[in-house]
Amino acid sequence: MNLVEAKYLEYTINIFKKALEYKGNDNLPTYKILWKHNDKLLFANTLNIDNNYNILINKLSPDFNPYHDKLPIVENGKFPIDIMESIHQKYFPSGFSNPINLYNNSLALFKEAISVVKSVDTFHLDNPEYRLLNVSYLDSKIALPFILVDKDFELEPISLIEVSKN
């Protein structure tokens, strides 16, 4: 999948957790996606997401100080509102829906998240940042804070790994 699709996949898993927490579920696992690129396995974030599940984008102030700003959620049909609406319509159609068992099963969640991303007709992510964050290859002890990639960069999602319980 290309980098924009990978961003959609990462956000799908995060927004699923946010929706479950909103419904009062505590101690949910936090997952990371294990990716494959050029026959190498790696962990990396495609998005910078804060503790409130806001997507942060890099900005530069007029006096050249870097800072993070929240990606606005304003336009219908654009990222991230498109994926949020898709998750809520499919998995939380009523006030009584609570697919906690799906979220707690990493294989089922991973397959569903990939299915959600594949069902998106058009990806609407304006000016995606072509970089990966917090990159660590499984066959190396080197951890990189980021790597820059080109717009044709491809990642293959391999597995969903539980990294902690919150």
Side-chain angles (χ1 to χ4, degrees), residues 20-75:
L20 287 168
E21 287 176 344
Y22 181 77
K23 294 187 82 45
N25 296 287
D26 294 328
N27 298 318
L28 296 171
T30 297
Y31 296 111
K32 280 191 81 78
I33 301 169
L34 178 64
W35 302 100
K36 183 176 173 183
H37 176 72
N38 287 343
D39 294 325
K40 299 229 182 224
L41 297 175
L42 64 125
F43 288 107
N45 297 330
T46 61
L47 297 166
N48 188 4
I49 300 175
D50 70 12
N51 290 336
N52 294 317
Y53 303 98
N54 297 303
I55 299 170
L56 303 177
I57 52 177
N58 295 321
K59 298 270 184 146
L60 199 58
S61 71
D63 57 347
F64 304 107
N65 287 316
Y67 69 98
H68 292 106
D69 198 8
K70 294 178 190 174
L71 181 69
I73 302 175
V74 292
E75 296 183 55

Side-chain angles (χ1 to χ4, degrees), residues 90-112:
K90 184 170 182 179
Y91 302 101
F92 300 91
S94 73
F96 300 106
S97 300
N98 192 1
I100 185 75
N101 292 331
L102 172 60
Y103 186 83
N104 283 326
N105 182 315
S106 61
L107 174 59
L109 175 63
F110 196 48
K111 289 168 66 174
E112 283 297 309

Side-chain angles (χ1 to χ4, degrees), residues 3-4 7 128-132 147-152:
L3 187 59
V4 171
K7 288 175 185 278
E129 295 179 298
Y130 292 103
R131 49 87 183 116
L132 298 176
I147 60 171
L148 299 178
V149 298
D150 63 25
K151 69 178 190 167
D152 299 321

